[in-house]
Amino acid sequence: MRSKKHHVFIISCILWLNAWLTTGTAGPVAPTSVQVIDDRQQVVSLAAPAERIISLAPHITELLFAVGAGDRIVGTVSFSDYPEAAADIPRIGSYKQLDMESILALQPDLVVAWSSGNVQTQVERLAQLGLPLYYNDPQDFEQLALALERLGTLAGRARQGQETAADFRQALQMLQDRYGSRPKVTVFYQIWDRPLMTLNDQHLISRAIEICGGHNLFGDLEAMVPRLDREVVLAADPEAILAGGMGEDSPHWIDEWRRWPALTATARDNLFFIPPSLLQRATPRILEGTRLVCEALETARSRRPEASE
């Protein structure tokens, strides 16, 4: 008869083999390093997935929540208001004025910065202090999908990041297939009122307009956020005007255009308010904003004189 010690030895061997087959190693599993490329095409390497993340923009906070990493955000900036759980995260200033001491006190193992929004000297100072930086600034929808995958990887949520990105790409393709080949609608998109400001074709919102079969009248201007005289917009005579207003329920910028009844967009009542959080933040919710743009441009098509004949 085999001894009790022999049975214990056999069981130990089985447990060791199972651990080896599952992890590729025998004994404790070491933290797995992660590496991605950010939107500046820089390599970001971490010895292990980040557990204490600082977000330097509202849209970045939302992206992290979208990949299941909201619980790893230890600090973010003002106006990070989505989802509701973001309200409980400590604030470390605004995206334009960071509180450096607060950031350092939180001891982050990853800082996600907004390339075109944060003050560059402050972000560079964080890098000089040895904090790992990932730069985020998607200029098209594919870069947004990649950001979901990369942030998921950095935060130890790779699978959820990949699944969220796949769902995003699929939903976007459905909008493209439905509206992309529709007759073109000339569009003025208003991002600010005084001074009057729009966006060129380098911006993500112009991609949304294009997917919906629209043409951004000022897309070829050099500046990403051009300032315009109102007379220039009146001369361009857009068929539709889209505006985000100063808040989710503040469409008064659109009402201002009713002062010019001869304007095609005004004459046909093609003045559309799009909630800014659904279109002006580079997050998965931009799909909903794009859908609203598509529906607005389809309404504009239906109001053409030939459409009623």
Side-chain angles (χ1 to χ4, degrees):
M1 180 178 293
R2 294 177 178 176
S3 68
K4 183 177 180 180
K5 289 184 179 181
H6 181 78
H7 286 294
V8 171
F9 173 77
I10 295 296
I11 292 172
S12 299
C13 288
I14 292 173
L15 292 174
W16 181 90
L17 180 61
N18 182 66
W20 186 86
L21 291 172
T22 303
T23 67
T25 61
V29 180
T32 304
S33 62
V34 291
Q35 180 174 290
V36 300
I37 304 293
D38 69 10
D39 286 345
R40 287 193 172 183
Q41 301 307 303
Q42 297 176 342
V43 176
V44 180
S45 299
L46 301 178
E51 297 183 356
R52 299 183 60 81
I53 303 174
I54 294 284
S55 162
L56 300 188
H59 81 273
I60 292 170
T61 300
E62 191 171 331
L63 287 173
L64 289 165
F65 271 97
V67 300
D71 60 340
R72 299 198 168 196
I73 307 174
V74 296
T76 187
V77 294
S78 54
F79 299 107
S80 292
D81 54 8
Y82 189 90
E84 289 185 6
D88 298 328
I89 301 172
R91 268 32 185 180
I92 44 85
S94 70
Y95 74 91
K96 282 291 189 182
Q97 186 59 51
L98 304 175
D99 184 336
M100 306 296 281
E101 289 186 4
S102 294
I103 291 174
L104 295 175
L106 289 168
Q107 298 182 323
D109 47 22
L110 176 65
V111 176
V112 186
W114 182 17
S115 296
S116 62
N118 297 139
V119 177
Q120 187 61 31
T121 54
Q122 287 196 306
V123 177
E124 289 175 352
R125 179 58 180 157
L126 293 174
Q128 292 168 0
L129 292 169
L131 297 182
L133 282 175
Y134 175 97
Y135 283 97
N136 171 263
D137 198 11
Q139 301 300 311
D140 57 42
F141 286 106
E142 179 55 25
Q143 284 187 345
L144 199 162
L146 288 172
L148 292 167
E149 293 174 340
R150 292 166 176 173
L151 289 173
T153 296
L154 290 173
R157 301 287 189 268
R159 177 174 295 180
Q160 186 163 344
Q162 292 165 2
E163 291 175 350
T164 304
D167 291 343
F168 179 85
R169 290 186 178 104
Q170 182 179 18
L172 186 68
Q173 189 61 51
M174 291 175 66
L175 288 171
Q176 175 75 63
D177 292 344
R178 181 173 181 180
Y179 296 105
S181 60
R182 298 287 290 145
K184 293 294 181 184
V185 177
T186 56
V187 174
F188 169 60
Y189 183 84
Q190 181 177 338
I191 193 173
W192 203 253
D193 188 30
R194 288 181 175 83
L196 191 62
M197 300 169 72
T198 187
L199 300 165
N200 72 4
D201 282 342
Q202 297 176 40
H203 198 280
L204 196 57
I205 291 175
S206 284
R207 305 283 194 265
I209 292 171
E210 181 182 1
I211 281 173
C212 297
H215 170 63
N216 180 0
L217 285 171
F218 301 101
D220 59 353
L221 294 181
E222 184 175 353
M224 181 178 287
V225 187
R227 297 185 178 190
L228 303 172
D229 292 328
R230 200 168 294 269
E231 290 72 20
V232 173
V233 179
L234 295 174
D237 195 24
E239 187 175 358
I241 294 177
L242 311 177
M246 295 180 66
E248 298 301 288
D249 55 357
S250 181
H252 64 274
W253 288 355
I254 278 293
D255 296 332
E256 189 75 11
W257 293 103
R258 300 190 190 281
R259 295 170 51 195
W260 289 273
L263 190 67
T264 298
T266 303
R268 298 181 187 173
D269 198 24
N270 292 334
L271 305 173
F272 303 102
F273 170 72
I274 309 293
S277 68
L278 298 182
L279 198 58
Q280 293 176 192
R281 290 187 184 181
T283 75
R285 286 196 297 160
I286 201 171
L287 288 170
E288 176 62 15
T290 302
R291 183 186 64 80
L292 293 176
V293 170
C294 290
E295 291 178 355
L297 299 193
E298 196 66 9
T299 297
R301 294 183 187 99
S302 72
R303 291 173 177 169
R304 287 171 171 167
E306 61 269 23
S308 61
E309 294 178 358

